[in-house]
Amino acid sequence: MILSEKIIMLRKKMGWSQEELAEQLGVSRQSISKWELGAAIPDLDKILRLSRLFGVSTDYLLKDDAPEITYSDGNTDEPGTHFVSVEEANTYMSLVKSISNRFANAISALIISPVILILLSGYSEYKGIPDENMIAGIGVSILLIIISCGVSVLIYNGMKLSKYEYLEKEEISLEYGIQGIVEKKKADFEDKSRMFITLGVVLCIIGVVPLFIIGVVSGDDFMTTCCVAVLLIFIASAVNLFVRAGMINSSYSKLLQVGDFTVQNKNINNKTASIAGIYWPIVVAIFLGYSFTTNNWHTSWIIWPVAGVLFAVLNGIVSFVNKK
């Protein structure tokens, strides 16, 4: 029996109409109708209120094969763990979902920030424009403006999430019923997440095609430069999808303490975080120092993927050492 059927069955068992149930939950009758038709799913706090009203567990409501049990408000907090309430978990998941788009757009903006500079530099060489310093100055100015906007968005929205950092670092204990709800949300998001990741991989592959064709067919420098810019745009679009899917999936994994957020992995992540705080500022310094010194902006972007691969290797080494 699915959730919509259970709501109908339990409502009728209590002898309530849709209007009466809606009044007790503080929602409209249309909302109850959508739940019972399967056109919508109640949010976290409504699931908990339904479980209390009907005297059943949230697991019974959300899991098709779950046996009916009486709801209990027991606090499962244990010594040395951080207790997470229903309201806190619901607020956190809603916040991550709302700002994932902003994070994704900001990171995409950082990736495409050198595109204008690359195109201007390539065009000036192609047309033989003598005042290359002016062209470079315009391109760098646009680059820095985009970077400052992107970084400000990341910092501002990151500060909103800072109060939930304990989910990544500490062992947590969920209030009764939350685990089933989070598992349901995670399962519902899986198809969308797979679609985002698949589309992102396809964009990364397609982005290389123009560069490969131009390299084989003509080898024209300006066309190659344009293809590099196109590649960055495709990569930015792919990363946008990866970030959206990753942030929402991570919010569920953090609450469930699975995947990268098991207690053991949290201990490892606490160590790698301190390394990242030193590593990435050095990478930024190398990128800017090399680019400004050589004025070779159209190739210096390669520093970022190389740095990302090296950081992944470094994380793997730290993880291996800690597990040993």
Side-chain angles (χ1 to χ4, degrees):
M1 187 181 297
I2 61 175
L3 175 61
S4 59
E5 296 171 339
K6 291 175 183 177
I7 294 176
I8 295 173
M9 182 267 292
L10 292 169
R11 175 177 61 78
K12 291 181 177 180
K13 183 178 180 181
M14 301 296 289
W16 295 335
S17 64
Q18 288 186 342
E19 290 82 0
E20 289 172 327
L21 178 58
E23 184 179 351
Q24 296 192 61
L25 292 173
V27 300
S28 64
R29 187 199 63 79
Q30 288 77 12
S31 296
I32 303 296
S33 178
K34 288 181 179 179
W35 297 348
E36 295 186 351
L37 290 172
I41 297 176
D43 57 24
L44 181 61
D45 61 323
K46 296 300 186 297
I47 289 287
L48 286 174
R49 292 183 68 179
L50 282 169
S51 71
R52 289 173 180 142
L53 280 173
F54 294 142
V56 297
S57 70
T58 54
D59 283 345
Y60 169 73
L61 290 174
L62 295 172
K63 295 182 178 180
D64 297 347
D65 57 350
E68 182 172 347
I69 56 175
T70 304
Y71 180 82
S72 170
D73 286 321
N75 185 331
T76 58
D77 195 14
E78 298 176 1
T81 63
H82 191 121
F83 178 72
V84 180
S85 66
V86 174
E87 293 75 17
E88 195 170 10
N90 192 31
T91 301
Y92 171 67
M93 288 188 289
S94 299
L95 178 62
V96 171
K97 187 175 181 180
S98 66
I99 70 174
S100 61
N101 292 344
R102 301 172 209 164
F103 263 85
N105 293 336
I107 293 173
S108 295
L110 294 177
I111 294 173
I112 65 174
S113 59
V115 166
I116 300 298
L117 178 59
I118 292 171
L119 292 175
L120 288 175
S121 299
Y123 184 75
S124 65
E125 292 180 8
Y126 177 70
K127 291 294 186 179
I129 298 175
D131 196 354
E132 292 184 0
N133 291 333
M134 182 188 71
I135 297 296
I138 294 173
V140 171
S141 298
I142 295 174
L143 169 76
L144 294 177
I145 289 172
I146 295 175
I147 289 177
S148 62
C149 292
V151 170
S152 63
V153 170
L154 292 176
I155 292 174
Y156 177 76
N157 289 281
M159 292 174 67
K160 292 183 178 180
L161 286 174
S162 61
K163 64 181 290 187
Y164 299 103
E165 286 182 352
Y166 69 87
L167 293 174
E168 302 178 17
K169 300 177 180 179
E170 303 176 19
E171 185 176 355
I172 63 172
S173 174
L174 300 177
E175 184 176 343
Y176 177 81
I178 296 179
Q179 181 170 342
I181 295 170
V182 177
E183 288 175 347
K184 176 70 173 177
K185 286 180 174 288
K186 184 177 177 65
D188 291 341
F189 186 71
E190 280 181 357
D191 287 340
K192 192 172 184 179
S193 176
R194 282 193 288 266
M195 181 184 68
F196 279 5
I197 293 173
T198 302
L199 182 57
V201 172
V202 171
L203 288 174
C204 288
I205 296 172
I206 293 176
V208 181
V209 173
L211 189 61
F212 177 76
I213 293 175
I214 293 299
V216 172
V217 174
S218 67
D220 181 82
D221 289 342
F222 180 63
M223 291 301 297
T224 301
T225 301
C226 291
C227 289
V228 169
V230 171
L231 174 61
L232 287 178
I233 292 173
F234 271 88
I235 291 175
S237 302
V239 169
N240 191 291
L241 296 172
F242 294 152
V243 171
R244 293 180 190 222
M247 286 189 67
I248 296 175
N249 272 325
S250 291
S251 68
Y252 301 144
S253 296
K254 289 175 185 177
L255 289 170
L256 296 173
Q257 296 189 107
V258 297
D260 293 333
F261 302 100
T262 61
V263 176
Q264 181 183 18
N265 285 335
K266 286 180 181 181
N267 295 331
I268 296 173
N269 292 337
N270 289 337
K271 296 179 180 180
T272 56
S274 59
I275 298 174
I278 301 173
Y279 179 85
W280 288 111
I282 292 175
V283 172
V284 173
I286 292 173
F287 170 73
L288 295 177
Y290 173 79
S291 300
F292 278 114
T293 302
T294 63
N295 200 28
N296 199 15
W297 295 89
H298 63 283
T299 58
S300 61
W301 61 270
I302 196 67
I303 291 174
W304 294 108
V306 171
V309 171
L310 291 176
F311 186 71
V313 172
L314 184 62
N315 268 343
I317 294 172
V318 173
S319 176
F320 177 77
V321 171
N322 278 277
K323 287 180 180 179
K324 285 292 183 180

